[in-house]
Amino acid sequence: MAKVKQIKKLSESAPIKDGTRCNNIKSVYSYDAEIEFTNSGKNPQEVVYTQNLPQESEILVESIKGGLKNASTYEWRFTVPADGKQVLNFVVKAPNTKRECN
């Protein structure tokens, strides 16, 4: 089961005119996520979980150490015990640009 526990706006730039009637506004958010992996089998299971991230994103906190697989994908590798579960928590800091037009 996966869920986003919290979303926080960390910052927002002043509107930037783009030469039209529109403005671009760049914001930065943090996303606090939790994913629970369950193994009902009799043997431990290796899990590889990947998360696509926007450019310029950063993992701020992680309960299981992971690493960049490539420029836009973060990867975690871990074992879920037999007849058990493993919880992965992480916080991502990610930019977002929105366009507002008059």
Side-chain angles (χ1 to χ4, degrees):
M1 177 191 332
K3 62 183 171 183
V4 175
K5 296 182 346 183
Q6 185 175 36
I7 300 172
K8 290 185 201 173
K9 184 187 285 186
L10 302 177
S11 66
E12 184 171 276
S13 69
I16 301 167
K17 297 205 177 284
D18 68 358
T20 67
R21 296 179 321 157
C22 299
N23 296 317
N24 293 318
I25 300 171
K26 185 173 183 178
S27 303
V28 177
Y29 290 88
S30 71
Y31 302 89
D32 186 348
E34 178 178 280
I35 306 169
E36 182 177 290
F37 299 85
T38 304
N39 178 7
S40 59
K42 297 187 185 290
N43 298 311
Q45 294 295 311
E46 174 80 18
V47 173
V48 178
Y49 177 75
T50 58
Q51 177 71 50
N52 292 327
L53 301 172
Q55 268 188 326
E56 302 175 27
S57 293
E58 179 183 352
I59 300 292
L60 300 177
V61 176
E62 55 191 332
S63 61
I64 300 169
K65 183 67 179 152
L68 278 176
K69 181 178 179 181
N70 59 45
S72 63
T73 307
Y74 203 83
E75 178 178 88
W76 290 269
R77 292 178 176 268
F78 52 91
T79 300
V80 180
D83 198 30
K85 65 181 175 180
Q86 181 69 266
V87 177
L88 170 63
N89 290 288
F90 60 94
V91 178
V92 177
K93 177 180 163 185
N96 179 52
T97 300
K98 68 180 176 181
R99 189 170 161 90
E100 290 183 346
C101 299
N102 298 328

